[in-house]
Amino acid sequence: MRIGFAGTGYISRIHAQAAQSLGLTLNAVVNHRPESRADFAQQFNIPHQYDDINALVSAGTVDALVVATPNVLHAPQTIAAVQRGIHVMVEKPMAMNALEALAMQQAATHSGATLMVAHCWRFDADILWLKQRMPELGPIIRTTGYGIHTHWGPSGWFTQKTLAGGGALADMGIHAIDTVRFLLDDPLPVSVYAKIGTHYGNYDVDDTAILLIEWANGTTSVVESGWWHPHMDGPEAATKLYGTHGFGQAFPTRIIMPNADRSDVVTTAAGFAFPRPTHCPQSLYDTQLAYFVDCIRQGISPIPGAAEGLVNMRIIDAAVASAQSGQAIRITHA
Ligand SMILES: NC(=O)c1ccc[n+]([C@@H]2O[C@H](COP(=O)([O-])OP(=O)(O)OC[C@H]3O[C@@H](n4cnc5c(N)ncnc54)[C@H](O)[C@@H]3O)[C@@H](O)[C@H]2O)c1
């Protein structure tokens, strides 16, 4: 399989390493900055370089493309590729908003190309261990999830609304949202109430958000996102699940079940360290890309695909509308 990369930044390099480990043919790269794409092409021994997505997709040099550019480019680059039948794995957030995400989904459905959204925590060993243990917890009544950076936040395009769409909620909160959806078997959101603000920097995007999400299965989730916060109650994608029978948690990853005498029986995920040496290890992205390639080869629709990415964007759009109006926003699904 010949794979290409849109974007030559931080996460593209991780995806390119994953592609190398999988033995794929790293065949093309697109970036508007010549030095940056030349450097990337040299590092990964990529023969074809383009300065524009249309040049890449019409050249016929790739079967699949990883879109890992600023969020404003996710929809146009993905649509340009899938319209040509090129399979795409697009980084999170899927798009700037749900309207764009819907257009991406429709373009992929129309052409038959595979479209996956890189919600990476679905491929994490801790998260998968917790998901396997979920039946023991009983119906989940409430959850709390985190997407927070302490004493740090990104700069550049991440903090510009026109390029990123939103701030910490779109960047980090989406990990918490997608992780809890995955653990709960992808329930649809019914309503979202949110408070969103900018308190830690001088930019036009959010760096603080709290969401209350009501799901169709009756569970209620709290999601917290932020950059530059003085404290966090868990690292990226940390999730707490309060069931009728027991409690489950990722990072630290464990379940806690009550004994007959009301003492706690704690079961931890064997061999999983907390904190990890690297919270987001290369292996997470290797597993994710391997799944994308498997889906293409076997003609399977990926999960997380366009449908999951779109729901996450609807939740973010609803959160923004809620914060603006002060009201809970009901979400309708076509
Ligand atoms: N899943 C994860 O763990 C994870 C981690 C980091 C970033 N991301 C996501 O990946 C995406 C990229 O983030 P990043 O941290 O790599 O950002 P980055 O700033 O390091 O890289 C962005 C790249 O896009 C390039 N670019 C800008 N305009 C372009 C154009 N017109 N054509 C082609 N390339 C262009 C930039 O030159 C740069 O190489 C974002 O959507 C981000 O949310 C996901």
Side-chain angles (χ1 to χ4, degrees):
M1 184 173 302
R2 299 166 308 161
I3 194 159
F5 301 88
T8 53
Y10 167 74
I11 203 74
S12 274
R13 287 176 194 274
I14 288 174
H15 293 313
Q17 283 177 48
Q20 279 184 328
S21 316
L22 288 171
L24 306 182
T25 304
L26 285 71
N27 216 36
V29 60
V30 56
N31 189 299
H32 61 304
R33 291 161 52 214
E35 341 69 66
S36 177
R37 65 171 189 261
D39 181 57
F40 190 88
Q42 190 189 21
Q43 181 182 351
F44 295 102
N45 200 16
I46 294 174
H48 302 286
Q49 299 177 33
Y50 306 94
D51 64 357
D52 174 74
I53 189 71
N54 294 312
L56 183 149
V57 300
S58 53
T61 48
V62 298
D63 306 303
L65 179 71
V66 175
V67 173
T69 43
N71 305 341
V72 69
L73 295 172
H74 290 187
Q77 292 186 332
T78 297
I79 291 170
V82 295
Q83 278 177 342
R84 295 270 184 166
I86 297 169
H87 310 293
V88 170
M89 183 177 83
V90 60
E91 263 301 345
K92 47 55 61 176
M94 182 174 178
M96 299 283 272
N97 51 51
L99 254 186
E100 284 190 359
L102 189 60
M104 294 157 81
Q105 182 184 42
Q106 287 169 345
T109 304
H110 190 251
S111 76
T114 299
L115 176 54
M116 174 166 157
V117 182
H119 286 302
C120 56
W121 291 101
R122 291 179 184 241
F123 302 92
D124 183 82
D126 281 65
I127 299 293
L128 288 165
W129 180 89
L130 182 58
K131 186 164 174 63
Q132 211 177 19
R133 305 300 294 252
M134 295 261 317
E136 296 165 52
L137 309 181
I140 304 299
I141 307 305
R142 65 184 176 95
T143 78
T144 312
Y146 305 95
I148 292 171
H149 282 307
T150 49
H151 320 303
W152 187 83
S155 54
W157 68 264
F158 277 97
T159 58
Q160 295 169 49
K161 195 176 168 69
T162 50
L163 300 178
L169 177 56
D171 176 36
M172 295 292 291
I174 199 155
H175 285 303
I177 292 168
D178 189 68
T179 302
V180 76
R181 278 200 83 229
F182 174 60
L183 288 167
L184 296 175
D185 292 334
D186 287 312
L188 289 176
V190 173
S191 74
V192 178
Y193 178 73
K195 291 283 183 193
I196 302 178
T198 305
H199 305 284
Y200 294 92
N202 185 20
Y203 31 61
D204 65 355
V205 294
D206 59 278
D207 57 22
T208 306
I210 303 178
L211 279 57
L212 190 70
I213 306 168
E214 180 192 358
W215 305 103
N217 66 359
T219 306
T220 304
S221 291
V222 172
V223 164
E224 301 182 15
S225 65
W227 295 330
W228 296 106
H229 282 200
H231 176 75
M232 59 183 179
D233 291 316
E236 181 178 313
T239 307
K240 296 175 182 167
L241 307 158
Y242 299 81
T244 52
H245 295 16
F247 171 79
Q249 184 175 15
F251 312 124
T253 305
R254 57 192 182 162
I255 60 169
I256 303 179
M257 307 297 293
N259 242 335
D261 66 0
R262 296 192 181 191
S263 62
D264 285 340
V265 179
V266 181
T267 308
T268 52
F272 294 174
F274 182 77
R276 297 166 158 183
T278 308
H279 187 60
C280 305
Q282 177 69 42
S283 58
L284 180 58
Y285 303 97
D286 294 351
T287 311
Q288 176 177 251
L289 194 69
Y291 174 73
F292 174 55
V293 169
D294 267 4
C295 286
I296 296 168
R297 287 187 173 143
Q298 296 178 37
I300 298 167
S301 294
I303 300 175
E308 289 70 33
L310 173 60
V311 168
N312 290 336
M313 293 314 304
R314 284 195 171 126
I315 291 170
I316 288 186
D317 286 0
V320 171
S322 171
Q324 283 168 353
S325 67
Q327 307 293 317
I329 302 294
R330 294 197 77 77
I331 300 182
T332 49
H333 301 273

